Amino acid sequence: MKWNPVKASDYARQHALSSSHNLCATYVRHVLHAGGVDITGVRLAKDYGPALESAGFIATGSGQTLLAGDIIVIQPYPGGNRAGHIAIYDGSNWYSDFRQHDMWAGPGYRANRPPHKIYRKR
């Protein structure tokens, strides 16, 4: 099945919780599936990069305009969740297991700005 960022984005919006439940990797895996990409065997959000690349996503360069269907993988920061974070951009907002205020998903990520990559399907 071909990647459909509209279906993925719709799924993310429709299934977003009102706040984080620390289930970003699970939710984004379901979002990817809804959009036509199946990724299995990856447990932690921070580890999704290689699996996304194997599925045909490429890391974008810094400063590129965000597009619906872009996926961010954020590494952990000291004192934060060791799993890191993953989210999808729908063209206006970022979603993981909840609708985020921005790509950083919370004050700890926002303050620390840990290493991250944004992936886009070719």
Side-chain angles (χ1 to χ4, degrees):
M1 184 173 179
K2 187 175 175 169
W3 172 241
N4 187 326
V6 173
K7 285 185 178 180
S9 296
D10 288 346
Y11 185 95
R13 279 190 300 277
Q14 292 167 5
H15 292 86
L17 302 171
S18 59
S19 62
S20 175
H21 285 68
N22 294 316
L23 296 170
C24 63
T26 299
Y27 269 68
V28 173
R29 184 178 72 246
H30 292 300
V31 165
L32 288 164
H33 177 75
V37 172
D38 286 319
I39 292 179
T40 59
V42 182
R43 200 174 128 254
L44 302 177
K46 69 180 182 80
D47 297 332
Y48 261 77
L52 288 168
E53 290 174 357
S54 291
F57 286 77
I58 57 168
T60 65
S62 63
Q64 287 194 14
T65 301
L66 293 170
L67 300 176
D70 285 353
I71 307 284
I72 189 168
V73 176
I74 307 175
Q75 298 305 303
Y77 61 89
N81 189 326
R82 68 176 187 86
H85 188 68
I86 187 169
I88 184 170
Y89 185 67
D90 76 343
S92 299
N93 298 296
W94 287 98
Y95 290 87
S96 52
D97 55 340
F98 69 105
R99 182 180 177 268
Q100 302 177 185
H101 295 291
D102 59 21
M103 74 177 201
W104 293 110
Y109 287 102
R110 201 171 295 111
N112 287 280
R113 298 187 181 260
H116 63 282
K117 288 185 182 179
I118 296 174
Y119 293 88
R120 180 173 296 156
K121 186 80 161 110
R122 288 185 232 161

